[in-house]
């Protein structure tokens, strides 16, 4: 009886692990795109992770009521990719686009609410 209970617990945990793994991978766009749009919502950037081709333009759209300021890590200096920085806040209805001409993985954040984060993979 105790073994059945233990087995049930293990099966539930394995099932939850598989579900979490699939869900995470569905949210990650692994196909390289020629351009991408990343939207800042009240819950954070969507999608949080994109893969684009070298030379692709990524447009950041603000769907919150607050200003935002997408920029490369590290906060607050943005030296990971200094050009990936509009250098000023963008209003709630503003957009900002940046063309990624160098392959690499660039973590970014909202400079105003730095807990909103994301990752852009630029591939050749
Ligand atoms: Cu910052």
């Amino acid at each position: 009886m105790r073994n059945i209970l233990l087995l049930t617990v293990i099966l539930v945990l394995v099932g939850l692990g598989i579900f979490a793994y699939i869900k995470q991978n569905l949210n990650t766009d692994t196909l390289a795109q020629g351009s991408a749009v990343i939207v800042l919502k009240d819950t954070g950037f969507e999608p949080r992770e994109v893969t684009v081709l070298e030379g692709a333009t990524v447009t950041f759209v603000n769907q919150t009521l607050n200003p935002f300021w997408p920029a490369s890590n590290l906060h607050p200096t943005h030296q990971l990719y200094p050009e990936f920085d509009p250098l000023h806040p963008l209003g709630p209805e503003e957009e900002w686009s940046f063309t990624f001409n160098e392959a690499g993985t660039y973590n970014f954040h909202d400079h105003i609410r730095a807990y909103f984060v994301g990752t852009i993979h630029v591939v050749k």
Side-chain angles (χ1 to χ4, degrees):
M1 188 63 193
R2 197 170 190 171
N3 285 344
I4 290 171
L5 185 64
L6 187 63
L7 187 64
T8 304
V9 169
I10 289 169
L11 285 176
V12 166
L13 288 176
V14 168
L16 286 173
I18 291 170
F19 176 75
Y21 178 82
I22 291 170
K23 190 167 182 290
Q24 183 184 357
N25 282 281
L26 283 177
N27 287 339
T28 305
D29 189 354
T30 52
L31 286 177
Q33 305 170 83
S35 65
V37 176
I38 296 177
V39 179
L40 180 63
K41 300 186 175 180
D42 289 323
T43 50
F45 288 106
E46 285 186 28
R48 254 174 222 161
E49 194 164 1
V50 293
T51 300
V52 295
L53 293 166
E54 203 175 56
T57 296
V58 176
T59 300
F60 295 86
V61 178
N62 186 1
Q63 285 186 358
T64 75
L65 297 174
N66 302 303
F68 85 140
W69 184 334
S72 84
N73 284 7
L74 302 168
H75 183 69
T77 56
H78 310 159
Q79 291 303 302
L80 176 66
Y81 196 155
E83 294 79 18
F84 174 12
D85 185 344
L87 302 175
H88 57 84
L90 302 156
E93 281 146 42
E94 279 190 83
E95 299 180 0
W96 182 73
S97 295
F98 183 73
T99 300
F100 289 85
N101 288 317
E102 277 190 52
T105 292
Y106 305 107
N107 292 319
F108 67 94
H109 61 280
D110 175 10
H111 187 57
I112 296 171
R113 286 163 293 171
Y115 47 85
F116 290 148
V117 298
T119 304
I120 297 169
H121 303 280
V122 181
V123 297
K124 292 188 187 235

